[in-house]
Amino acid sequence: MPSFTKPQPLKAALKIGIFGPAGSGKTFSALLIAEGLARHTGKRIAFLDTEMGTAFYGQTVPQRSVHPQGFDFDVLHTRAITETLAAVRGLSP
């Protein structure tokens, strides 16, 4: 029978689901979360753009009251899972 145990750091994981209608801020919120994680871990953000054009988040937008500066991320424009997998496999650890 399974029993409760203390969590171990190696078992820690972040699982997030973001849902909402178009324009509700899903991509923006995901980038804010990714930016915080990247700052905490010292790593970069890899953004897979399947809509071919949301990379404008990399630009500074003075009119935006929340986070007016551009996000710092690398983007891959793709719609094919095979291209995505090839690109991810090509990343160095």
Side-chain angles (χ1 to χ4, degrees):
M1 171 151 84
S3 62
F4 286 94
T5 60
K6 293 283 184 186
Q8 301 296 317
L10 297 176
K11 295 181 181 180
L14 177 65
K15 298 176 184 177
I16 297 176
I18 300 176
F19 178 82
S24 63
K26 298 178 299 291
T27 301
F28 187 77
S29 296
L31 284 170
L32 284 173
I33 293 166
E35 185 176 67
L37 290 170
R39 190 178 305 119
H40 178 71
T41 61
K43 296 187 177 183
R44 292 198 38 80
I45 299 169
F47 184 84
L48 301 177
D49 183 4
T50 60
E51 296 179 358
M52 306 300 197
T54 55
F56 68 87
Y57 284 111
Q59 300 172 1
T60 296
V61 183
Q63 302 88 344
R64 193 167 56 207
S65 60
V66 176
H67 203 292
Q69 70 274 19
F71 289 92
D72 182 24
F73 60 88
D74 297 316
V75 65
L76 173 66
H77 299 282
T78 181
R79 288 183 187 257
I81 189 67
T82 53
E83 291 174 358
T84 303
L85 291 172
V88 170
R89 288 183 181 128
L91 294 175
S92 58

